[in-house]
Amino acid sequence: MGRLGWLILESTDDAPSDLGTVDVRLAIGLVAWAGAFGTGKVPNELTEDLTRKAHGFGHKRLLSGAFGAYEIRDMLDVVARREPEVARGIAVRALTARVSGWRAALASRLPMPVLTELASRLWSSTSLDADLRDWRTLNERPEKPTVLVFLRNVAGTLGALAGVTLIGIAITRSFGTLIDWWAWGPVEIASLVVGCTLLAVICFVVALLMPADHDLLWVPAVFLLMSGVGVVGAGAPVAFATVAGWLGVVSTAVLSAALVAAIVVLVRWTSHRERALRNPYRALLDRVPTARNHQTVIGRQATGGSARVRPTVRTGG
């Protein structure tokens, strides 16, 4: 299969007109990879045609705003159940805007469920979220990282609470410095923290009172962001010095570093595990269960069949 794919990939000839049925595993490997698609856009007229057809067959739109990949797929599936050739034509037209040549010919011969899944993923996205790692781990069935998600949420909640607490401490002590009640550090830093806090409150109130479609809504939003950065930047040393006075400098530094490290590690680890669950190649092939009824010849792990698994052989392709 690897050699066959390499020969097709290196071929300069056009795809034959009588291509017939293609092996979905080979076609997906040659067509559905991130660098194979151009930046063309699906015409609005095609989206309107699909919407009109799907609604005519009873599809009820659940989302508002732009169409997402899941809704596009649902609409294509609705049309495919009643008029499969029409649905195939719409999906092929959508892919033709992004891929050309023999890849377009292979894509047009994909089984209908796979074709609709691929078209929906590329309908409004600039590229397919897939890489070589996804192909190599196609046959793996990772479990949902329930424990990791729980730990990530706990760490994130603790981090958010710590951040809010530190900001509150910085604002309180800066105000105390100005009124000579709980003084620390230069008055200029305390003035900056209190000033940015007042500006943030004013901008928030103004943005809340302005209509959502107002042309100048960006002005209070920008000043709110700038004031927030000012509060965090100027208030950080105030909050650190205050907490260090309670717990000690070393303990404060160690606890801060441990919490930040835990959040970063858990977020990255959980994202990696969740990404494995969203393997786009697995989602594409799972739309055709018959693709897994016999010995799978791609990926790390062979599934199905009873023959001994052969070692990987590099063919140059």
Side-chain angles (χ1 to χ4, degrees):
M1 289 289 284
R3 179 65 177 174
L4 180 57
W6 181 82
L7 289 172
I8 295 175
L9 188 64
E10 293 296 312
S11 176
T12 58
D13 298 332
D14 294 331
S17 57
D18 56 345
L19 190 59
T21 303
V22 298
D23 189 295
V24 62
R25 300 164 298 171
L26 178 60
I28 288 298
L30 291 171
V31 175
W33 51 282
F37 302 100
T39 57
K41 295 182 179 179
V42 175
N44 292 333
E45 295 79 8
L46 189 59
T47 304
E48 294 173 0
D49 290 344
L50 174 60
T51 305
R52 186 165 51 253
K53 277 287 186 182
H55 287 185
F57 292 140
H59 179 268
K60 302 297 183 182
R61 189 174 186 185
L62 301 178
L63 304 178
S64 60
F67 287 101
Y70 293 107
E71 190 163 13
I72 292 291
R73 184 189 62 192
D74 290 344
M75 288 194 296
L76 284 171
D77 287 342
V78 168
V79 178
R81 285 194 291 268
R82 302 288 293 273
E83 297 182 358
E85 292 306 316
V86 172
R88 178 175 290 276
I90 293 176
V92 169
R93 287 169 58 194
L95 291 176
T96 303
R98 310 294 304 281
V99 66
S100 59
W102 58 264
R103 285 194 174 89
L106 282 181
S108 66
R109 302 307 304 168
L110 287 171
M112 192 63 209
V114 181
L115 181 62
T116 57
E117 178 75 25
L118 182 60
S120 64
R121 287 174 175 266
L122 291 168
W123 198 276
S124 57
S125 176
T126 56
S127 64
L128 183 68
D129 183 21
D131 55 27
L132 185 59
R133 176 190 57 189
D134 296 317
W135 186 255
R136 288 175 173 170
T137 59
L138 171 66
N139 293 315
E140 296 179 3
R141 294 289 176 175
E143 296 180 358
K144 186 176 181 179
T146 306
V147 176
L148 281 178
V149 170
F150 173 75
L151 294 177
R152 180 198 61 187
N153 293 341
V154 169
T157 302
L158 291 177
L161 291 176
V164 172
T165 302
L166 292 175
I167 291 175
I169 291 174
I171 294 174
T172 303
R173 188 150 197 185
S174 296
F175 182 76
T177 300
L178 294 181
I179 64 175
D180 200 21
W181 161 62
W182 192 16
W184 179 89
V187 177
E188 292 79 7
I189 294 180
S191 301
L192 180 59
V193 173
V194 174
C196 288
T197 302
L198 293 176
L199 179 60
V201 173
I202 294 172
C203 291
F204 178 77
V205 173
V206 171
L208 201 61
L209 296 177
M210 291 179 68
D213 57 347
H214 199 285
D215 294 337
L216 296 179
L217 184 61
W218 63 271
V219 175
V222 170
F223 278 97
L224 180 62
L225 178 62
M226 293 174 59
S227 59
V229 172
V231 171
V232 173
V238 179
F240 183 84
T242 302
V243 176
W246 299 335
L247 304 179
V249 176
V250 176
S251 299
T252 303
V254 170
L255 288 175
S256 301
L259 181 58
V260 172
I263 293 175
V264 171
V265 170
L266 288 172
V267 167
R268 290 181 60 87
W269 195 1
T270 304
S271 299
H272 178 74
R273 291 284 301 275
E274 289 178 335
R275 177 65 180 82
L277 292 172
R278 301 191 305 270
N279 190 319
Y281 294 129
R282 187 183 304 120
L284 287 166
L285 290 183
D286 280 350
R287 296 273 283 174
V288 183
T290 55
R292 295 182 178 276
N293 285 348
H294 46 81
Q295 188 76 4
T296 301
V297 294
I298 52 179
R300 292 179 183 170
Q301 176 187 355
T303 60
S306 58
R308 178 176 58 87
V309 178
R310 297 182 180 181
T312 302
V313 178
R314 296 189 178 276
T315 63

